[in-house]
Amino acid sequence: MLFTKLLIPTLKENPSEADVVSHKLLMRAGFIRKLTSGVYSYLPLGLMTLRKIERIVREEMNAAGAQEVLLPMVQPADLWAESGRLQKYGPELLRFKDRHGRESCLGPTHEEVITDLVRNNIHSYRGLPVNLYQIQTKFRDEIRPRFGLMRGREFIMKDAYSFDATEAGADAAYEAMNKAYHQIFSRCGLQFRAVEADTGTIGGSFSHEFMVLADTGEDTIVICRQCSYAANLEKAACSAAPLSERREEKPLSKIETPGKRKVDAVCDFLKIAPQNLLKTMVYIADGRPVAVLLRGDHEVQTVKLKNMLGANEVELASDQECFDATGVPTGYLGPIGLKIPVVADLTVTTMQNFTTGANEKNFHYLNANLGRDFTVEKTADLRMITTTDHCPLCGGELELPRGIEVGHIFKLGTAYSEALNAKFLDSNGQEQPFIMGCYGIGVSRVMAAAIEQNHDKDGIVFPLPIAPFQVIILNLGFTDDAITTAATDLYQSLREKGIDTLLDDRDERPGSKFKDADLLGIPFRVTIGKRFSADGIVEIRDRKHGEITEVPFAEAREMLTKMLTEAII
RNA sequence: CGGGAUGUGGCUCAGUCUGGUAGAGCACUUGCUUCGGGAGUAAGGGGUCGGAGGUUCGAAUCCUCUCAUCCCGACCA
């Protein structure tokens, strides 16, 4: 394509609204423009990269035996009521009424629609297994969209759904997707890890997230330095170091701790380590208060708590809610004599003679002990893992790098098929619910994640497979017909070879062309200018390494073809 | 939803505290010079300062309300 024929509105300065590097560069390089919060237009270059990612996704999905469909974005609320998610999904589901007053919503995901489609059209095990996917715009009314394409409200997603007759078949479908995802993200040129994940609102029994490693990622993941263990924070299992020896339980005593509310303040005041303090956090779980006990230096992992309680919504109580529930000001709460349900993190069972709030303003207890002084309803792993923890598989050291979630695969089981009464007849003529799996890729997010991972001070450094163009030719001799002719000839011959080439034919000074070429991140840049006039030489520069290869004009095409082939392998 | 910040030509910002009728740089148009890492020069076009109301002789500037955007938190297939 010709630069002058494309809408590529590059910016010299970072837009004030952008904070993360992918957002800044996508705006500056003219890939996207914002319409409103969390909603973006894709300009020609942005769309080209998107299409390249989609193409890789399609090829791998098709190779894995999935079939492409396209499902509606506007969905009847009734269908969501059937699965129970009309209530459960919350305000993220954008709801509206049509002119007849029918309740509708914009699809944030498509389990309901696909299950409805399959239940109406597949009635026998003979029609199984089947895996259907689509690439489509999704809408989720996020509480807080941010970081450009990283967390938009409207975004492009590939979602696939598998339907199987047997558990073994469902496992195979999951494994096929797991493989396809590894292929897809590798082909996109990304550094990523698949991590064990919590199943969240979608429900189901087993899941992995595909995380692109980048410091600016919104999520923290847990990776073992020794073995292959990888999980996200919600899932990462914390073990409680067993008691080395049981010490003698000392008598409980109460001590005045005037104005000492925070863990640090109490510890300083009493000259104890936070490991010897038990802290009590009050949460509101589906409207009811619950006290959560933790060691002083630990933090609650809300998702673990939610799962333990089997609650839909769990939120830290405000100071007021806390006082209303317990009659004690926050800072002096403790389990002894507390009137609300109490649950504890596993580590608490290994603590002895610890300090804790006395449920009385300005007082704490010393030498409290679980069992003797109070009991709890349940104990479970409820805390956030840290780098001082050890790998639950091999005991090795852990790392907690940041990541961007670009894909997620779930084994759903029969949660949706049962809710929506989607059944088939098995070979014995028995009715069975479909066993399902669902598999998502944030296509537009992949573009942002790729940039987070591949950029430098001059701009984007695209991995070749997803760059909008493979080669950019700079015509630096705008007034020189020989140069212009050479640039145009090379451009034509590369295009004939099927190489995606952009010819910078603008009447701009060289400096601007160099800057823009760097900003756009096109992997190979061919400069035709002075050196061509003097010696018939053109320069090929590798965007990533900055290496310059000088070749005679006549050999440029062959050299580029060779470099592109090598770069792909 | 809680906390913080910002809205002034297309973009980045100054001017607001201390009211006096709108500026700079970039971008854009035209001419001349220039042409290998975001040129120089001259002449131009474009904004009633997010919106509404109020105070005042006079409001970008002060007051009230409102809308939008961004950041932190909670949240998140």
Side-chain angles (χ1 to χ4, degrees), chain A residues 219-354:
Chain A
D219 300 299
T220 301
I221 60 178
V222 182
I223 292 178
C224 176
R225 287 178 198 260
Q226 268 96 61
C227 74
S228 62
Y229 182 76
N232 69 12
L233 278 183
E234 289 87 45
K235 186 77 181 178
C238 305
S239 51
L243 261 189
S244 47
E245 63 180 302
R246 275 216 94 79
R247 282 164 297 171
E248 195 184 330
E249 294 189 348
K250 295 180 185 168
L252 185 70
S253 65
K254 197 191 271 187
I255 186 168
E256 194 169 358
T257 49
K260 308 299 176 193
R261 299 175 58 245
K262 299 276 177 197
V263 170
D264 290 349
V266 176
C267 289
D268 270 5
F269 183 72
L270 297 175
K271 308 261 183 299
I272 56 169
Q275 286 83 347
N276 292 322
L277 186 105
L278 180 87
K279 70 176 171 186
T280 307
M281 311 286 290
V282 175
Y283 279 78
I284 307 291
D286 292 341
R288 295 167 175 278
V290 188
V292 181
L293 306 181
L294 286 170
R295 207 169 78 180
D297 57 332
H298 289 157
E299 298 296 329
V300 175
Q301 216 308 317
T302 320
V303 174
K304 289 180 180 176
L305 178 63
K306 198 193 266 187
N307 290 344
M308 174 213 218
L309 298 171
N312 271 331
E313 221 168 298
V314 169
E315 210 180 350
L316 186 62
S318 65
D319 286 357
Q320 187 59 48
E321 285 171 321
C322 191
F323 185 81
D324 291 348
T326 63
V328 180
T330 51
Y332 306 100
L333 280 165
I336 302 174
L338 202 59
K339 297 288 189 292
I340 57 174
V342 179
V343 299
D345 175 60
L346 270 185
T347 315
V348 172
T349 61
T350 70
M351 294 172 70
Q352 279 192 287
N353 296 324
F354 48 81

Side-chain angles (χ1 to χ4, degrees), chain A residues 165-466:
Chain A
T166 63
E167 279 295 333
D171 288 346
Y174 186 90
E175 196 39 49
M177 285 297 105
N178 188 15
K179 269 193 195 145
Y181 275 41
H182 276 86
Q183 277 292 112
I184 289 168
F185 298 123
S186 300
R187 282 186 62 190
C188 287
L190 299 171
Q191 302 265 315
F192 67 96
R193 286 294 290 262
V195 305
E196 286 179 30
D198 184 74
T199 47
T201 10
I202 285 282
S205 46
F206 194 55
S207 111
H208 282 87
E209 286 174 349
F210 288 77
M211 310 291 295
V212 166
L213 302 175
D215 292 338
T216 45
E218 285 188 271
D219 300 299
T220 301
I221 60 178
V222 182
I223 292 178
C224 176
R225 287 178 198 260
Q226 268 96 61
C227 74
S228 62
Y229 182 76
N232 69 12
L233 278 183
E234 289 87 45
K235 186 77 181 178
C238 305
S239 51
L243 261 189
S244 47
E245 63 180 302
R246 275 216 94 79
R247 282 164 297 171
E248 195 184 330
E249 294 189 348
K250 295 180 185 168
L252 185 70
S253 65
K254 197 191 271 187
I255 186 168
E256 194 169 358
T257 49
K260 308 299 176 193
R261 299 175 58 245
K262 299 276 177 197
V263 170
D264 290 349
V266 176
C267 289
D268 270 5
F269 183 72
L270 297 175
K271 308 261 183 299
I272 56 169
Q275 286 83 347
N276 292 322
L277 186 105
L278 180 87
K279 70 176 171 186
T280 307
M281 311 286 290
V282 175
Y283 279 78
I284 307 291
D286 292 341
R288 295 167 175 278
V290 188
V292 181
L293 306 181
L294 286 170
R295 207 169 78 180
D297 57 332
H298 289 157
E299 298 296 329
V300 175
Q301 216 308 317
T302 320
V303 174
K304 289 180 180 176
L305 178 63
K306 198 193 266 187
N307 290 344
M308 174 213 218
L309 298 171
N312 271 331
E313 221 168 298
V314 169
E315 210 180 350
L316 186 62
S318 65
D319 286 357
Q320 187 59 48
E321 285 171 321
C322 191
F323 185 81
D324 291 348
T326 63
V328 180
T330 51
Y332 306 100
L333 280 165
I336 302 174
L338 202 59
K339 297 288 189 292
I340 57 174
V342 179
V343 299
D345 175 60
L346 270 185
T347 315
V348 172
T349 61
T350 70
M351 294 172 70
Q352 279 192 287
N353 296 324
F354 48 81
T355 301
T356 188
N359 291 326
E360 185 180 337
K361 189 173 180 186
N362 295 336
F363 283 95
H364 279 77
Y365 280 123
L366 298 179
N367 299 318
N369 283 287
L370 175 62
R372 183 191 69 182
D373 301 318
F374 65 96
T375 55
V376 298
E377 289 193 0
K378 267 191 210 169
T379 53
D381 169 22
L382 296 178
R383 68 184 174 87
M384 196 80 87
I385 203 164
T386 69
T387 44
T388 57
D389 280 294
H390 293 278
C391 172
L393 289 188
C394 75
E397 280 184 28
L398 296 176
E399 252 181 288
L400 302 183
R402 306 283 287 176
I404 302 163
E405 182 188 346
V406 290
H408 203 154
I409 59 178
F410 287 87
K411 197 179 158 197
L412 287 175
T414 55
Y416 287 92
S417 45
E418 280 176 14
L420 292 165
N421 199 29
K423 293 177 176 161
F424 63 95
L425 284 184
D426 68 15
S427 55
N428 301 316
Q430 299 289 311
E431 254 193 353
Q432 302 286 352
F434 294 101
I435 303 173
M436 294 172 57
C438 77
Y439 318 93
I441 290 179
V443 175
S444 43
R445 189 185 277 182
V446 167
M447 178 156 85
I451 293 170
E452 289 293 332
Q453 209 173 57
N454 300 284
H455 66 270
D456 62 18
K457 65 174 174 48
D458 295 316
I460 304 171
V461 185
F462 267 117
L464 184 61
I466 62 170

Side-chain angles (χ1 to χ4, degrees), chain A residues 92-108:
Chain A
E92 223 176 283
L93 181 66
L94 182 65
R95 302 147 206 248
F96 56 94
K97 286 181 183 169
D98 68 12
R99 68 199 301 167
H100 302 292
R102 289 182 290 231
E103 295 283 350
S104 307
C105 52
L106 276 190

